[in-house]
Amino acid sequence: MPTIIYPPSIPWDWMFQRPQQLLGRFSASGQTVLYEDLGNFSNPKASLLSPSLLICQGVSAMAVPHPRPRILWLTVPSHINLIPNYDPDLVIYDAVDEPKEEFASWAPYYPTIQEKADIIFCSSSSIYEHFLNKHPHVYLVPNGVDYVHFSPAPPYRPTDLPSGKPIVGYSGAIAPWVDWELLKIVIRENPEINFVFLGALFQLNKFPLKFKNVFYLGLKSYQELPTYLHHFDVGLIPFRQTEMTKGCNPIKLYEYYAAGIRVLGTPLPELLTIPKINLESKPHLFSLRLRHLLEEDDMNKAERMAYAQANDWSERAGRILHYIFNRANTNQE
């Protein structure tokens, strides 16, 4: 079994996203995973989260004895320059965003990634198409969901949720790619709805909305998140349509669906093929569709949850390991 090393990129306990989900499942299937945590640690240590998953805090993974072959798993483009530090047998780049606009600083590293990565995984079709003719081993693996974590009905209602009105919620990064201008119009037109936002500020100094029916509850732990989503009447994916977001495969879509809630979003390319989703780009139509969703009976909950279950992170991790082992076997022949 190989060892997979993830250089410091995302704090393990921050927003629990694709890297933590996939690496956790790699370890559950028997691979040794050394996750180098991001942060300043006064007490450097390597801690076991499970028999094969170690969190290295202020300690290099290379200082931890581990078996080879050694796989370097990268999600931050500049980390392609860290290859000499790890002496890997295989380099994998997991591409999760377009190198444009908010992530434009990534673009200069792409030629080196195409040269030095052995395998490139892509979370969306547009990212896949970018790499497809530039690298011999490129695979499309969209995001997913921990269905068992998000699908059960919660045992309690969070006390900081507003009451008395339907709840329309957003879970995810509070970031520039959210269409805040669209939301201002929609919120102003719907005073009879409470709008709840969960997530960390990203590239923003403060939460950008001020309305009596808007509640920014901050970042919630991954363990708490399902208890909030299950009390949403509708989940939002109100992203601006840009060169960056055309490569966005929103994790929140799968999490909303696993929790059984209806979804209203803007027509991003990655959302166009999702069953039973609601998409609008113009603010007034978005507002109108939102009211219709809250008024009509929900006939598609089971289908949405089945879609989420079919797109579990375990399926994604299994598919990725299949590609990795096939590549490793080819190298040995």
Side-chain angles (χ1 to χ4, degrees):
M1 290 291 184
T3 296
I4 301 174
I5 294 178
Y6 186 59
S9 309
I10 302 171
W12 175 264
D13 285 327
W14 191 51
M15 296 179 71
F16 211 72
Q17 297 288 301
R18 180 178 174 107
Q20 296 101 314
Q21 296 281 11
L22 289 175
L23 291 159
R25 278 161 181 76
F26 296 157
S27 74
S29 66
Q31 332 306 313
T32 298
V33 173
L34 303 179
Y35 190 106
E36 295 188 334
D37 211 354
L38 184 66
N40 296 314
F41 304 101
S42 57
N43 180 28
K45 60 182 178 179
S47 306
L48 279 172
L49 285 191
S50 74
S52 56
L53 174 57
L54 284 88
I55 303 298
C56 301
Q57 297 180 322
V59 174
S60 169
M62 297 298 285
V64 178
H66 57 267
R68 297 190 81 141
R70 181 184 301 135
I71 297 173
L72 187 60
W73 183 274
L74 305 175
T75 60
V76 176
S78 61
H79 285 174
I80 199 71
N81 293 331
L82 298 179
I83 290 175
N85 299 352
Y86 294 93
D87 185 29
D89 300 292
L90 200 71
V91 176
I92 294 174
Y93 178 62
D94 190 25
V96 297
D97 284 299
E98 290 276 2
K100 296 170 182 174
E101 295 168 356
E102 289 87 354
F103 299 103
S105 62
W106 289 8
Y109 299 100
Y110 270 48
T112 309
I113 288 169
Q114 290 156 201
E115 176 191 351
K116 295 187 175 180
D118 296 292
I119 302 175
I120 298 175
F121 293 111
C122 306
S123 65
S124 74
S125 296
S126 71
I127 298 173
Y128 174 73
E129 288 163 7
H130 170 85
F131 282 113
L132 185 57
N133 296 320
K134 298 180 176 69
H135 194 280
H137 303 286
V138 180
Y139 304 99
L140 174 61
V141 182
N143 288 320
V145 66
D146 183 344
Y147 184 79
V148 172
H149 183 65
F150 282 92
S151 59
Y156 64 92
R157 189 181 196 277
T159 57
D160 56 348
L161 276 176
S163 58
K165 299 177 182 179
I167 293 178
V168 171
Y170 171 89
S171 172
I174 308 299
W177 54 80
V178 174
D179 194 336
W180 299 109
E181 296 307 310
L182 176 146
L183 286 173
K184 286 175 184 176
I185 295 171
V186 172
I187 291 165
R188 196 176 291 118
E189 290 183 349
N190 293 280
E192 73 287 355
I193 297 171
N194 282 329
F195 292 83
V196 170
F197 293 82
L198 311 174
L201 295 176
F202 183 86
Q203 296 185 0
L204 292 176
N205 295 322
K206 61 181 181 179
F207 185 72
L209 300 175
K210 285 188 177 181
F211 295 90
K212 289 183 178 179
N213 59 331
V214 168
F215 302 83
Y216 174 49
L217 304 183
L219 176 63
K220 300 301 177 181
S221 74
Y222 183 67
Q223 294 306 315
E224 292 179 286
L225 200 50
T227 66
Y228 286 86
L229 298 194
H230 275 266
H231 289 95
F232 288 3
D233 294 287
V234 176
L236 295 178
I237 310 178
F239 286 4
R240 295 167 54 232
Q241 296 177 75
T242 68
E243 284 298 301
M244 192 279 285
T245 61
K246 78 175 183 181
C248 179
N249 183 261
I251 292 176
K252 62 179 61 57
L253 175 277
Y254 304 99
E255 293 176 349
Y256 291 159
Y257 268 30
I261 60 177
R262 292 169 286 187
V263 174
L264 175 59
T266 47
L268 305 176
E270 288 290 301
L271 297 180
L272 296 177
T273 60
I274 303 298
K276 306 306 177 185
I277 196 169
N278 302 275
L279 303 173
E280 293 289 353
S281 59
K282 298 186 183 304
H284 297 296
L285 292 177
F286 196 100
S287 185
L288 188 64
R289 178 73 74 96
L290 181 59
R291 288 196 291 275
H292 284 168
L293 285 173
L294 292 172
E295 291 166 2
E296 66 187 19
D297 293 333
D298 182 4
M299 308 299 291
N300 302 307
K301 181 176 180 178
E303 186 173 345
R304 292 194 304 271
M305 294 184 73
Y307 180 82
Q309 189 171 21
N311 288 277
D312 192 273
W313 283 118
S314 295
E315 186 277 334
R316 304 298 198 240
R319 199 193 310 181
I320 286 171
L321 288 174
H322 172 76
Y323 294 139
I324 290 173
F325 291 143
N326 276 357
R327 179 82 173 98
N329 291 336
T330 302
N331 285 350
Q332 290 175 1
E333 291 172 1

